[in-house]
Amino acid sequence: MAKPQKRYVCQSCGSVTSRWQGQCVDCQGWNTLVEEAAVVATPFQAKHNLQGGGRTIQLSGLNAEVTLPDRMTTGIAELDRALGGGFVEGSATLIGGDPGIGKSTLLLQAAARMASAGRGVAYVSGEEAADQVRLRARRLGLGDAPVQLASATSTRDILTTLSLGTPPALLVIDSIQTMHSDLIEGAPGTVSQVRASSQELIRFAKERGTALVLVGHVTKDGSIAGPRVLEHMVDTVLSFEGERSHQYRILRAIKNRFGGTDEIGVFAMQAEGLTEVSNPSALFLTHRDEGVTGATVFPALEGTRPVLVEIQALVVRLASGATPRRSVVGWDSGRLAMVLAVLEARCGLSFSSAEVYLNIAGGYRVQDPAADLAVAAALVSALSERPVPADAVAFGEIALSAEIRPVAHGQLRLKEAAKLGFERALVPSAMASEKDTLRLTGFRTLNQFVDHMLGRG
């Protein structure tokens, strides 16, 4: 008999070590190693040659004919947009988000619409009782939808039940951290259990052509909890973002084997559930009749969808010797430090004795580097107390040399701004020669832009 070996598995990254230690050497996490039973290795298994004894597999070229996968629309246009057109048969999708953000509500609405359209849908909840899910469905007005509902945590019981009849077109597991496989030891939620349960469910989905949706928990920093291998096993990873204090929610694709990852879906949390937002700019723009210092409008771009957001800045002068504070909400703090440094070193503006506060209105998060010029406009406006024209938008990337560089999809941004009633745009000089419905003012360097903002020359 081979002697069982002990192993310790990190609950954060999934790395394995033969002895316990306080810190994981791979992810540097503390107190994340948990003892698990290892597979018994026999001398025959250790010496077995894997180069023989298997079956021959068929190899094909890249130029072989292939058909595009069929899509199953969910009836929710914003969800289909983030997925790339809908669910694919036999695919596995992982969706994560903060507790209470609306993951279960969105999936329940999608499941009800697909079931009402005549597709077989099974919703398995491991965190809530079936009556709780049923009450939520009635509150959302979905009580009559023919969704097959169950409350279970055993992977074997779920797969045995689904194998008896016709497999459903959509299977929702809420959540994967509550599932338990009896093939291995360990409590639900551990790395080994999450990996084993996901593997069994994904194998069933691939063999039966069922679209599988797994709900995953998230950690403090917003990443999906559990081993990183879980994200590698699935075909699509969706992140449901937003603040519970705000009504908007953004569904963003992080990984998609059947489509792009540059599209987002925008939702608003209402009393009747999550509703689609066809014009996201209406959520993030502040309606004002007169100019306000420190506020400018930036046409952000998420995939093929432009979203106009308002960038707000506040500069507060401090007494001599006080340490100034830099506070950012919705943008990269390192990017703000870079823009401030360029304004001080290249343009002669002093922010060293002032506190700087930057906010993206509506709780939106901007990752587009084209926001540099709009942020600079808000900072210069707040410092000089000169308002940016209310009918103007600004976008462009700022280099460390103070050069204003052109950005991608400029015409798409300008069209969206013109559609919402804006008449002017502050853009890089490379775009000023293009014909457009807006009056374009181009700037080659940040010095020229600051002179224009301050009315010099």
Side-chain angles (χ1 to χ4, degrees), residues 381-432:
S381 173
L383 182 67
S384 62
E385 297 186 356
R386 288 172 174 260
V388 179
D391 61 346
V393 297
F395 62 90
E397 184 180 356
I398 298 176
L400 291 179
S401 61
E403 177 192 1
I404 300 178
R405 307 178 61 182
V407 296
H409 306 290
Q411 287 298 322
L412 193 60
R413 302 173 194 264
L414 294 173
K415 287 181 181 179
E416 181 69 13
K419 187 189 305 181
L420 295 178
F422 290 89
E423 300 177 357
R424 289 183 281 178
L426 309 177
V427 298
S429 58
M431 292 187 56

Coordinates of all heavy atoms in Angstrom, one line a residue, residues 381-432:
S381 N -9.7 74.7 -14.9 CA -10.9 75.5 -14.7 C -11.1 75.7 -13.2 O -11.4 76.8 -12.7 CB -12.1 74.8 -15.3 OG -13.3 75.4 -14.9
A382 N -10.8 74.7 -12.4 CA -11.0 74.8 -10.9 C -9.9 75.7 -10.4 O -10.2 76.5 -9.4 CB -10.9 73.4 -10.3
L383 N -8.7 75.6 -10.9 CA -7.6 76.5 -10.4 C -7.8 78.0 -10.7 O -7.6 78.8 -9.9 CB -6.3 76.0 -10.9 CG -5.0 76.7 -10.4 CD1 -4.8 76.4 -8.9 CD2 -3.8 76.2 -11.2
S384 N -8.2 78.2 -11.9 CA -8.4 79.6 -12.4 C -9.8 80.2 -12.2 O -10.0 81.4 -12.5 CB -8.0 79.7 -13.9 OG -8.9 78.9 -14.7
E385 N -10.7 79.3 -11.8 CA -12.1 79.7 -11.6 C -12.7 80.2 -12.9 O -13.5 81.2 -12.8 CB -12.2 80.7 -10.4 CG -11.8 80.2 -9.1 CD -12.0 81.1 -7.9 OE1 -12.5 82.3 -8.2 OE2 -11.8 80.8 -6.8
R386 N -12.3 79.6 -14.0 CA -12.9 80.0 -15.3 C -13.7 78.7 -15.7 O -13.1 77.7 -15.9 CB -11.8 80.3 -16.3 CG -11.1 81.7 -16.1 CD -10.0 81.8 -17.0 NE -9.4 83.1 -17.0 CZ -9.7 84.1 -17.8 NH1 -10.5 83.9 -18.8 NH2 -9.1 85.3 -17.7
P387 N -15.0 78.8 -15.9 CA -15.7 77.6 -16.3 C -15.5 77.2 -17.7 O -15.2 78.0 -18.6 CB -17.2 78.1 -16.1 CG -17.1 79.6 -16.3 CD -15.8 80.0 -15.7
V388 N -15.5 75.9 -18.0 CA -15.4 75.4 -19.3 C -16.8 75.6 -20.0 O -17.8 75.4 -19.3 CB -15.1 73.9 -19.3 CG1 -15.0 73.3 -20.7 CG2 -13.7 73.6 -18.6
P389 N -16.8 76.0 -21.3 CA -18.1 76.2 -21.9 C -19.0 75.0 -21.8 O -18.6 73.8 -21.9 CB -17.7 76.5 -23.4 CG -16.4 77.0 -23.3 CD -15.7 76.3 -22.1
A390 N -20.3 75.2 -21.4 CA -21.2 74.1 -21.1 C -21.6 73.3 -22.4 O -22.0 72.2 -22.3 CB -22.5 74.7 -20.5
D391 N -21.3 73.9 -23.6 CA -21.6 73.2 -24.8 C -20.4 72.5 -25.5 O -20.4 72.2 -26.6 CB -22.3 74.1 -25.8 CG -21.4 75.3 -26.2 OD1 -20.3 75.5 -25.5 OD2 -21.6 76.0 -27.2
A392 N -19.3 72.3 -24.7 CA -18.1 71.8 -25.2 C -17.7 70.5 -24.5 O -18.0 70.3 -23.3 CB -16.9 72.8 -25.0
V393 N -17.1 69.6 -25.3 CA -16.5 68.3 -24.8 C -15.0 68.4 -25.0 O -14.6 69.1 -25.9 CB -17.2 67.1 -25.4 CG1 -18.7 67.0 -25.1 CG2 -16.9 67.1 -26.9
A394 N -14.3 67.5 -24.3 CA -12.8 67.5 -24.5 C -12.3 66.1 -24.3 O -12.8 65.3 -23.5 CB -12.2 68.4 -23.4
F395 N -11.4 65.7 -25.2 CA -10.7 64.4 -25.1 C -9.4 64.5 -25.8 O -9.2 65.2 -26.8 CB -11.6 63.3 -25.6 CG -12.0 63.4 -27.1 CD1 -11.1 62.8 -28.0 CD2 -13.1 64.1 -27.5 CE1 -11.5 62.9 -29.4 CE2 -13.4 64.2 -28.8 CZ -12.6 63.6 -29.8
G396 N -8.5 63.7 -25.3 CA -7.1 63.6 -25.9 C -6.2 63.0 -24.8 O -6.4 63.1 -23.6
E397 N -5.1 62.4 -25.3 CA -4.1 61.8 -24.4 C -2.9 62.7 -24.2 O -2.5 63.3 -25.2 CB -3.7 60.4 -24.9 CG -2.7 59.7 -24.0 CD -2.2 58.4 -24.5 OE1 -2.7 58.0 -25.6 OE2 -1.4 57.7 -23.9
I398 N -2.5 62.9 -23.0 CA -1.4 63.8 -22.7 C -0.1 63.0 -22.5 O -0.1 62.1 -21.7 CB -1.7 64.6 -21.4 CG1 -2.9 65.5 -21.7 CG2 -0.5 65.5 -21.1 CD1 -3.3 66.3 -20.5
A399 N 1.0 63.4 -23.2 CA 2.3 62.7 -23.0 C 3.1 63.5 -22.0 O 2.7 64.6 -21.6 CB 3.0 62.7 -24.4
L400 N 4.1 62.9 -21.5 CA 5.0 63.5 -20.5 C 5.7 64.8 -21.1 O 6.1 65.6 -20.3 CB 6.0 62.6 -19.9 CG 5.5 61.4 -19.1 CD1 6.6 60.5 -18.6 CD2 4.7 61.9 -17.9
S401 N 5.8 64.8 -22.4 CA 6.4 66.0 -23.0 C 5.4 67.1 -23.2 O 5.7 68.1 -23.9 CB 7.0 65.6 -24.4 OG 6.0 65.1 -25.2
A402 N 4.1 67.0 -22.7 CA 3.0 67.9 -22.8 C 2.4 67.9 -24.2 O 1.5 68.7 -24.5 CB 3.5 69.3 -22.5
E403 N 2.8 66.9 -25.0 CA 2.1 66.8 -26.3 C 0.7 66.2 -26.2 O 0.6 65.2 -25.4 CB 3.0 65.9 -27.3 CG 2.3 65.6 -28.6 CD 3.0 64.5 -29.4 OE1 4.0 64.0 -28.8 OE2 2.6 64.2 -30.5
I404 N -0.2 66.7 -26.9 CA -1.6 66.1 -26.9 C -1.7 65.2 -28.0 O -1.7 65.6 -29.2 CB -2.7 67.2 -26.9 CG1 -2.5 68.2 -25.7 CG2 -4.0 66.6 -26.9 CD1 -3.5 69.3 -25.7
R405 N -1.9 63.9 -27.8 CA -1.9 62.9 -28.8 C -3.3 62.5 -29.2 O -4.2 62.5 -28.3 CB -1.1 61.6 -28.3 CG 0.3 62.0 -27.8 CD 1.0 60.8 -27.2 NE 1.2 59.7 -28.3 CZ 1.7 58.6 -28.1 NH1 2.1 58.2 -26.8 NH2 1.8 57.7 -29.0
P406 N -3.5 62.1 -30.4 CA -4.8 61.7 -30.9 C -5.2 60.3 -30.3 O -4.3 59.6 -29.9 CB -4.7 61.6 -32.4 CG -3.3 61.4 -32.6 CD -2.5 62.1 -31.6
V407 N -6.5 60.1 -30.2 CA -7.0 58.8 -29.6 C -7.9 58.1 -30.6 O -8.2 58.6 -31.7 CB -7.8 59.1 -28.3 CG1 -6.9 59.7 -27.3 CG2 -9.0 60.1 -28.6
A408 N -8.2 56.9 -30.3 CA -9.0 56.0 -31.2 C -10.5 56.4 -31.2 O -11.0 56.9 -30.2 CB -8.8 54.6 -30.8
H409 N -11.1 56.2 -32.3 CA -12.6 56.4 -32.5 C -13.0 57.8 -32.2 O -14.0 58.0 -31.4 CB -13.3 55.4 -31.7 CG -12.9 54.0 -31.9 ND1 -13.2 53.3 -33.1 CD2 -12.2 53.1 -31.1 CE1 -12.7 52.0 -33.0 NE2 -12.1 51.9 -31.8
G410 N -12.3 58.8 -32.7 CA -12.6 60.2 -32.4 C -14.0 60.6 -33.0 O -14.7 61.3 -32.4
Q411 N -14.2 60.1 -34.2 CA -15.5 60.5 -34.9 C -16.7 59.9 -34.2 O -17.7 60.6 -34.1 CB -15.4 60.0 -36.3 CG -14.5 60.8 -37.3 CD -15.0 62.2 -37.4 OE1 -16.2 62.5 -37.4 NE2 -14.0 63.1 -37.4
L412 N -16.5 58.7 -33.6 CA -17.6 58.1 -32.9 C -18.0 58.9 -31.6 O -19.1 59.1 -31.3 CB -17.3 56.7 -32.5 CG -18.4 55.8 -32.0 CD1 -19.5 55.6 -33.0 CD2 -17.9 54.4 -31.6
R413 N -16.9 59.4 -31.0 CA -17.1 60.3 -29.8 C -17.8 61.6 -30.1 O -18.7 62.0 -29.4 CB -15.8 60.5 -29.1 CG -15.0 59.3 -28.7 CD -13.6 59.7 -28.2 NE -12.7 58.6 -28.1 CZ -12.5 57.9 -27.0 NH1 -13.1 58.3 -25.9 NH2 -11.6 56.9 -27.0
L414 N -17.4 62.2 -31.3 CA -18.0 63.4 -31.7 C -19.4 63.3 -32.1 O -20.2 64.2 -31.8 CB -17.1 64.0 -32.8 CG -15.7 64.4 -32.4 CD1 -14.9 64.8 -33.7 CD2 -15.7 65.6 -31.4
K415 N -19.8 62.2 -32.7 CA -21.1 62.0 -33.2 C -22.1 61.9 -32.0 O -23.2 62.4 -32.0 CB -21.2 60.7 -34.0 CG -20.7 60.9 -35.4 CD -20.8 59.6 -36.2 CE -20.2 59.8 -37.6 NZ -20.4 58.5 -38.4
E416 N -21.6 61.2 -30.9 CA -22.4 61.0 -29.7 C -22.6 62.4 -29.0 O -23.7 62.7 -28.5 CB -21.8 60.0 -28.8 CG -22.6 59.8 -27.5 CD -23.9 59.0 -27.7 OE1 -24.1 58.5 -28.8 OE2 -24.7 59.0 -26.8
A417 N -21.5 63.2 -29.0 CA -21.6 64.5 -28.4 C -22.6 65.4 -29.2 O -23.4 66.1 -28.6 CB -20.3 65.2 -28.3
A418 N -22.5 65.4 -30.5 CA -23.5 66.2 -31.3 C -24.9 65.7 -31.1 O -25.8 66.5 -31.1 CB -23.0 66.1 -32.8
K419 N -25.1 64.4 -30.9 CA -26.4 63.9 -30.8 C -27.1 64.4 -29.5 O -28.3 64.6 -29.4 CB -26.4 62.3 -30.7 CG -27.7 61.7 -30.7 CD -27.6 60.2 -30.5 CE -26.7 59.5 -31.5 NZ -26.5 58.1 -31.3
L420 N -26.3 64.7 -28.5 CA -26.8 65.1 -27.2 C -26.8 66.6 -27.1 O -26.9 67.2 -26.0 CB -26.0 64.5 -26.0 CG -26.1 63.0 -25.9 CD1 -25.2 62.5 -24.8 CD2 -27.5 62.6 -25.7
G421 N -26.5 67.4 -28.2 CA -26.7 68.8 -28.2 C -25.4 69.6 -27.9 O -25.5 70.8 -27.8
F422 N -24.2 69.0 -27.9 CA -23.0 69.7 -27.7 C -22.6 70.3 -29.1 O -22.8 69.7 -30.1 CB -21.9 68.8 -27.2 CG -22.1 68.4 -25.7 CD1 -22.8 67.3 -25.4 CD2 -21.6 69.2 -24.7 CE1 -23.1 66.9 -24.1 CE2 -21.8 68.9 -23.4 CZ -22.6 67.7 -23.1
E423 N -21.9 71.5 -29.0 CA -21.6 72.2 -30.3 C -20.1 72.4 -30.5 O -19.7 72.6 -31.6 CB -22.3 73.6 -30.2 CG -23.8 73.6 -30.1 CD -24.4 74.9 -30.0 OE1 -23.6 75.9 -30.0 OE2 -25.6 75.0 -30.0
R424 N -19.3 72.2 -29.5 CA -17.9 72.4 -29.6 C -17.1 71.3 -29.0 O -17.6 70.6 -28.1 CB -17.4 73.7 -28.9 CG -17.9 75.0 -29.6 CD -17.3 76.2 -28.9 NE -18.1 76.6 -27.7 CZ -17.8 77.6 -26.9 NH1 -16.8 78.3 -27.1 NH2 -18.6 77.8 -25.9
A425 N -15.9 71.1 -29.5 CA -15.0 70.0 -29.0 C -13.6 70.5 -28.9 O -13.1 71.1 -29.9 CB -15.1 68.8 -29.8
L426 N -12.9 70.2 -27.8 CA -11.5 70.5 -27.6 C -10.7 69.2 -27.8 O -10.9 68.3 -27.0 CB -11.3 71.1 -26.2 CG -12.2 72.3 -25.8 CD1 -11.9 72.7 -24.4 CD2 -12.0 73.4 -26.7
V427 N -10.0 69.1 -28.9 CA -9.4 67.9 -29.4 C -7.9 68.1 -29.7 O -7.5 69.2 -29.8 CB -10.2 67.3 -30.6 CG1 -11.6 67.1 -30.2 CG2 -10.1 68.3 -31.8
P428 N -7.2 67.0 -29.9 CA -5.8 67.1 -30.4 C -5.8 67.7 -31.8 O -6.8 67.6 -32.6 CB -5.3 65.6 -30.5 CG -6.2 64.9 -29.5 CD -7.5 65.6 -29.6
S429 N -4.7 68.4 -32.2 CA -4.6 69.1 -33.4 C -4.7 68.2 -34.6 O -5.2 68.6 -35.7 CB -3.3 69.9 -33.5 OG -2.2 69.0 -33.3
A430 N -4.4 66.9 -34.5 CA -4.4 66.0 -35.6 C -5.9 65.8 -36.0 O -6.1 65.3 -37.2 CB -3.8 64.7 -35.2
M431 N -6.9 66.0 -35.2 CA -8.3 65.8 -35.5 C -9.0 67.1 -35.9 O -10.1 67.0 -36.4 CB -9.0 65.2 -34.3 CG -8.6 63.8 -33.9 SD -9.7 63.2 -32.6 CE -11.3 63.4 -33.4
A432 N -8.4 68.2 -35.7 CA -9.0 69.5 -36.0 C -9.3 69.7 -37.4 O -10.2 70.5 -37.8 CB -8.2 70.7 -35.4

